[in-house]
Amino acid sequence: MATSKSSFCFLVFLVSNGITLSFGDICQPKEAALFVFGDSIFDAGNNNYINTTADNYANFFPYGETFFNYPTGRFSDGRVIPDFLAEYAKLPLIQPYLFPGNQRYVDGVNFASAGAGALVETHQGLVIDLKTQLSYFNRVCKVLRQEVGDAETTILLAKAVYLINIGSNDYEVYLTQKSSVITPDKYVNMVVGNLSTVIKGIHKAGGRKFGVLNQPAMGCVPFVKALMNESKGCVEEASALAQLHNKVLSVELDQLKKQLTEFKYSYVDFFDLSLDLISNPSKYGFKEGDVACCGSGPYNGYFSCGGKGAVKDYNLCENPSEYVFFDSVHPTERADEIISQFMWSGNSSIAGPYNLKTLFQL
């Protein structure tokens, strides 16, 4: 009997009148792997194993309070988007790359790091930036070739889905430490250019199927509204920067489709989806879209959940599932589940030209 990620094969024998007849291999397709790149929206605990600041950790109460009943390093009361997508794809929870236990790379691995950006300079020295995440992926590819062989690894990498969410931390730095030298257009081109370079790097290693989220409605996030002293609605400057990114990213993905062999992708409209969740929470079964469950200050927008950073006092709601935001930046598990459902089976206006379910089946 031989096992692999791409197939589970066995020989069928029929014994008749003492004569053994072989009918050859029967192979059952196995699920495609999931490799995850990005920031705190996707981080499953990598930052637990690096030296960084309190703002980049979620390994303390109340993070993880609902589903896991303990803090895992996920910036949520429970599961995050890759956890749900793994479940829908019939995969186990995808482990963080830096997790010290045994790794099953044949199912994929999560490289995401809270605070990370597409630009190396974003929170440099405190996070695993996107370029370093790519270098870790290349290491994994070498391990896979050693463990299961070149042929099986090539099949595994081609069948796998590569999920990427990056950019919010780059733009947070730009908005708060704005340099008059760099225009928004130039900065966005730098961010998308670095993201494109990493996609090309994954493709060079054998990746073919990509799920890429655009930037959410950043100006409507509690942290941004509190930071920019916005009392009447969303911060237009922040949302405009996100929309500029999204326009450039959409064009870039279309160009990559023309340039890269067998390149297929799902472009997820995180902007419109997040804006609708925040603006119309009751439509999705929430009671509160503006104010975070955990934090302090206006909208609970000060990043103080858990009291481990500069601000020690924080408010904590009784039922996170009634809120879109768990802390001042990150969705609750319930919101992550809804976002994941749209990513998995949404129509082309939310996830196109393919949704994640179709990508996994290709």
Side-chain angles (χ1 to χ4, degrees):
M1 185 187 294
T3 60
S4 73
K5 181 62 192 174
S6 58
S7 61
F8 180 75
C9 303
F10 52 93
L11 287 171
V12 173
F13 296 97
L14 178 63
V15 180
S16 177
N17 296 325
I19 300 173
T20 302
L21 304 173
S22 172
F23 284 77
D25 288 349
I26 293 180
C27 296
Q28 299 174 341
K30 297 293 284 181
E31 290 76 23
L34 177 62
F35 292 94
V36 182
F37 301 78
D39 54 28
S40 55
I41 297 294
F42 285 175
D43 190 349
N46 277 307
N47 278 21
N48 291 348
Y49 309 104
I50 66 173
N51 290 320
T52 185
T53 61
D55 285 352
N56 295 323
Y57 286 128
N59 56 358
F60 47 82
F61 178 86
Y63 292 105
E65 66 172 352
T66 55
F67 181 79
F68 297 101
N69 297 314
Y70 67 94
T72 63
R74 292 168 170 83
F75 281 81
S76 168
D77 59 293
R79 290 163 290 182
V80 290
I81 290 167
D83 298 326
F84 289 106
L85 295 176
E87 178 187 332
Y88 304 156
K90 298 181 171 63
L91 293 166
L93 287 177
I94 304 302
Q95 294 285 2
Y97 174 72
L98 295 182
F99 183 73
N102 292 328
Q103 291 278 17
R104 276 186 53 80
Y105 293 145
V106 291
D107 293 320
V109 67
N110 187 327
F111 304 100
S113 170
L119 304 179
V120 174
E121 297 80 8
T122 297
H123 303 152
Q124 191 166 11
L126 299 173
V127 299
I128 309 163
D129 64 81
L130 191 62
K131 184 180 178 182
T132 302
Q133 292 179 35
L134 175 62
S135 73
Y136 288 168
F137 170 68
N138 286 327
R139 289 186 198 175
V140 167
C141 293
K142 289 181 181 178
V143 172
L144 282 169
R145 293 191 184 281
Q146 291 166 358
E147 290 185 349
V148 302
D150 284 339
E152 286 299 327
T153 299
T154 298
I155 294 168
L156 186 156
L157 294 174
K159 281 188 64 178
V161 172
Y162 301 85
L163 190 64
I164 307 174
N165 178 71
I166 204 78
S168 293
N169 292 301
D170 300 299
Y171 296 124
E172 181 245 325
V173 169
Y174 182 78
L175 287 167
T176 56
Q177 305 172 16
K178 194 186 299 183
S179 168
S180 58
V181 178
I182 303 177
T183 64
D185 291 88
K186 185 176 180 181
Y187 195 81
V188 166
N189 284 331
M190 288 165 57
V191 171
V192 175
N194 279 23
L195 170 55
S196 180
T197 297
V198 167
I199 290 174
K200 290 173 183 174
I202 297 169
H203 182 273
K204 184 178 179 181
R208 295 295 181 265
K209 300 185 291 185
F210 296 80
V212 184
L213 280 69
N214 71 13
Q215 285 300 295
M218 288 196 303
C220 304
V221 172
F223 173 79
V224 176
K225 291 195 290 186
L227 185 72
M228 310 291 269
N229 296 314
E230 180 54 64
S231 59
K232 296 181 180 178
C234 301
V235 180
E236 181 56 37
E237 182 186 7
S239 288
L241 194 58
Q243 288 175 306
L244 180 59
H245 169 98
N246 297 344
K247 181 180 178 181
V248 174
L249 176 60
S250 178
V251 171
E252 182 63 21
L253 288 171
D254 192 51
Q255 289 298 314
L256 290 174
K257 184 173 182 286
K258 297 171 184 176
Q259 296 169 10
L260 303 179
T261 307
E262 298 177 343
F263 179 81
K264 298 178 179 67
Y265 69 93
S266 176
Y267 174 76
V268 179
D269 190 357
F270 197 15
F271 186 97
D272 282 354
L273 182 52
S274 63
L275 184 60
D276 202 34
L277 280 164
I278 295 165
S279 305
N280 303 295
S282 60
K283 177 179 170 182
Y284 300 94
F286 296 104
K287 291 184 177 179
E288 182 57 68
D290 280 322
V291 178
C293 165
C294 185
S296 56
Y299 310 102
N300 279 340
Y302 297 159
F303 198 68
S304 61
C305 187
K308 298 292 185 181
V311 181
K312 303 301 179 186
D313 295 330
Y314 65 95
N315 305 307
L316 179 63
C317 71
E318 287 188 12
N319 188 357
S321 65
E322 295 178 346
Y323 289 71
V324 172
F325 288 96
F326 182 62
D327 65 17
S328 60
V329 175
H330 306 99
T332 56
E333 179 185 78
R334 179 70 186 118
D336 276 335
E337 183 177 18
I338 290 170
I339 294 163
S340 301
Q341 289 167 350
F342 277 104
M343 290 174 64
W344 182 255
S345 56
N347 62 36
S348 58
S349 67
I350 291 290
Y354 301 102
N355 58 31
L356 268 294
K357 181 179 180 180
T358 304
L359 268 191
F360 268 94
Q361 293 171 341
L362 290 174

